[in-house]
Amino acid sequence: MAGVLLLTGTAVQGQEATGMPADVTFSKDVLPILQRSCQACHRPGAIAPMSLVSYEDVRPWARSIKRNVEAREMPPWYVDRRIGIQDFKDDPSLTDDEIATIGAWVESGAPRGNPADAPPPREFMGPNEWRIGEPDLIVSLPEPYMLPAEGPDVFPNILGDPGLTTDRYIKAVEVKPDPNSLEVVHHVVTTMTEFDEDLAKGNFLNEYAVGKNGDIFDEGTGRLMKAGTQIRFGMHLHPYGEEIPVMIHVGLKLYPEGYVPKYQLVSQHMGDDNDLLIPAGEKGVRTDGYTMLTKPVVVTAFQPHMHTRGQAQCIEALVPQTDEEGNVLEQAPGTAPAPLMHQVTLNCVPQWRFNWHLVYNYAEESAPVFPPGTVIHISTWHDNSDTLRANPDPRNSVVYGQRTIDEMSFAWVSYYYIDEDEYKSRVAAKNAQAANND
């Protein structure tokens, strides 16, 4: 479509039509799948409840693994595979063929096969290592925050000092609680805080939530951290039955000193409804929010955010009509009304899981590019019925709030603006590609 660059990358995973191996075994066929998509969590010392490293580990769980991968409960990746963009960075989800391979293995009796067919063991990060790679700078709380064993949720704000004496641009960021703190940390919002005559000014850095991966920015894209900046750790903690010394760290990968990336990345709340009301016992309660982007834009990531009653969320773009060169069309005076916006669905997450606040980072070649005046529309659904097992109390209506038992209805959307010339060149390249494919 002229004027809107929405690259969907490769075809939806799982549409391959390869046949199953004649004799499916653990060593040859199943273990490589587990290494790629499961063992990062399912190994000794990691967050999952069982190890899936060896045949002896896996065999007792064979039927459960089949059931969970067929239901796409595991590995955690909840984007609807039928619509929107399907090309992401670090996508652990299984193809239909991989799921069928696991199913065929289980149904044939879960044979081990020849151990010589197994790939070499995968090397893993330790519990203190980082998904973004080794940080150039780690900023921590000055000392542990002592969370009491009982009481209401607490929301401490504590400053940490990066010690920067020169301006630096960030190219990746990840927040990591210590392992003993994981069960009590609902989320942490880190903010780059500058002080001007004792007045604090904050710029968003990163949000950690349960199950979240780190943020890795596109090449040439960064976020500025000025010299003298302090990091504010805005924490949401809930007591868990014992006193816990909570420690939080934020790891930063930095561009070289003096380097200025071409693009300035923004991560922003979109879709918020501070008047949110979810009546007791009701399911499928929908809210909507809209945000206009005022310049040509590249959208790089989408992260839904709800609490325990979250049900589903979609992100779409309402895009102005443009001509072949990418110029936004205007309604000519005296002409009959015509639609000047069209709808582009980017992604839907039809089954929200509170334990997995995943960031869906678009692959660079698939990140959508839109003209000025594009409106990002976030649709969110909540379930306050007694059919939701995670519902704390379906007898009460729920409103917006910070506590875990309250609710929210927004998405973190990351993007950067580009100038008109670059936007038009991207449109021209897309049009040329489409013409070659015809």
Side-chain angles (χ1 to χ4, degrees):
M1 186 169 293
V4 179
L5 184 53
L6 178 58
L7 301 181
T8 56
T10 57
V12 175
Q13 268 190 315
Q15 293 180 345
E16 302 89 337
T18 60
M20 288 296 100
D23 298 307
V24 181
T25 69
F26 174 81
S27 298
K28 177 165 56 74
D29 304 296
V30 174
L31 181 56
I33 299 172
L34 301 181
Q35 286 185 342
R36 180 183 74 84
S37 295
C38 306
Q39 290 183 1
C41 295
H42 288 272
R43 57 189 171 86
I47 63 174
M50 81 286 288
S51 174
L52 299 180
V53 172
S54 69
Y55 179 75
E56 291 75 17
D57 292 336
V58 174
R59 181 61 184 86
W61 299 99
R63 291 261 167 214
S64 177
I65 293 169
K66 177 179 182 289
R67 182 169 60 253
N68 277 278
V69 299
E70 287 179 344
R72 293 201 177 275
E73 288 292 336
M74 287 287 154
W77 192 259
Y78 302 114
V79 162
D80 193 319
R81 300 161 65 85
R82 299 166 297 177
I83 57 173
I85 300 170
Q86 297 296 323
D87 193 3
F88 300 91
K89 299 175 183 176
D90 301 321
D91 178 355
S93 62
L94 304 188
T95 66
D96 288 347
D97 281 350
E98 288 172 328
I99 293 172
T101 295
I102 291 173
W105 172 68
V106 172
E107 294 305 320
S108 66
R112 180 172 190 165
N114 185 353
D117 293 335
R122 180 177 169 185
E123 294 185 5
F124 295 104
M125 299 183 300
N128 295 320
E129 295 183 274
W130 301 79
R131 293 180 185 230
I132 62 171
E134 186 61 30
D136 300 304
L137 177 65
I138 298 174
V139 185
S140 305
L141 297 179
E143 59 184 18
Y145 177 87
M146 297 305 300
L147 181 69
E150 298 179 352
D153 289 10
V154 295
F155 303 87
N157 287 277
I158 300 174
L159 292 174
D161 187 1
L164 285 183
T165 58
T166 59
D167 294 354
R168 297 292 295 272
Y169 280 89
I170 301 163
K171 61 180 178 181
V173 56
E174 179 181 351
V175 173
K176 180 187 288 294
D178 274 358
N180 72 303
S181 305
L182 288 171
E183 290 186 336
V184 301
V185 178
H186 173 272
H187 73 257
V188 181
V189 175
T190 54
T191 305
M192 297 180 290
T193 304
E194 305 168 38
F195 293 92
D196 181 7
E197 297 180 354
D198 296 326
L199 296 176
K201 297 182 293 183
N203 293 305
F204 174 79
L205 176 59
N206 174 261
E207 185 219 36
Y208 165 85
V210 180
K212 181 175 176 178
N213 40 349
D215 291 336
I216 301 174
F217 307 155
D218 291 352
E219 188 62 34
T221 302
R223 185 170 285 146
L224 175 63
M225 179 180 289
K226 294 183 178 180
T229 292
Q230 302 276 302
I231 302 297
R232 181 173 66 85
F233 293 82
M235 295 174 281
H236 175 183
L237 310 175
H238 41 250
Y240 211 74
E242 62 176 300
E243 186 179 53
I244 297 291
V246 177
M247 176 51 70
I248 311 291
H249 317 272
V250 57
L252 305 167
K253 290 182 73 70
L254 304 173
Y255 285 101
E257 189 170 350
Y259 177 85
V260 178
K262 183 176 181 180
Y263 307 111
Q264 302 282 331
L265 187 73
V266 175
S267 295
Q268 180 178 339
H269 271 219
M270 295 187 186
D272 298 81
D273 183 355
N274 293 346
D275 295 322
L276 184 65
L277 173 62
I278 309 166
E282 291 198 16
K283 184 175 184 178
V285 179
R286 175 172 171 169
T287 56
D288 296 271
Y290 302 84
T291 303
M292 177 177 286
L293 301 172
T294 57
K295 301 175 184 177
V297 68
V298 179
V299 178
T300 66
F302 161 57
Q303 180 205 337
H305 185 99
M306 294 166 274
H307 291 181
T308 54
R309 294 174 178 86
Q311 182 177 350
Q313 191 174 90
C314 293
I315 177 173
E316 68 175 10
L318 305 176
V319 187
Q321 295 282 9
T322 58
D323 61 22
E324 291 293 331
E325 296 181 352
N327 298 302
V328 175
L329 298 175
E330 297 182 3
Q331 183 72 50
T335 61
L340 294 181
M341 304 283 280
H342 65 275
Q343 176 184 358
V344 177
T345 299
L346 303 187
N347 287 108
C348 285
V349 174
Q351 295 182 323
W352 166 253
R353 295 292 182 267
F354 176 70
N355 287 332
W356 296 101
H357 286 240
L358 300 175
V359 183
Y360 299 99
N361 290 293
Y362 299 125
E364 292 185 36
E365 65 274 11
S366 299
V369 181
F370 295 120
T374 294
V375 175
I376 300 297
H377 172 209
I378 305 295
S379 301
T380 304
W381 290 262
H382 287 89
D383 181 356
N384 196 17
S385 71
D386 57 9
T387 62
L388 179 67
R389 288 187 298 173
N391 193 342
D393 186 356
R395 299 169 299 175
N396 289 321
S397 297
V398 182
V399 296
Y400 173 89
Q402 298 289 335
R403 301 175 302 171
T404 307
I405 60 173
D406 301 323
E407 268 303 334
M408 292 186 175
S409 60
F410 72 85
W412 287 105
V413 179
S414 296
Y415 63 92
Y416 58 86
Y417 286 129
I418 56 178
D419 62 30
E420 289 285 345
D421 290 341
E422 182 172 353
Y423 171 71
K424 290 181 179 181
S425 70
R426 294 193 185 210
V427 169
K430 176 59 177 175
N431 291 339
Q433 180 184 6
N436 290 335
N437 292 337
D438 290 341

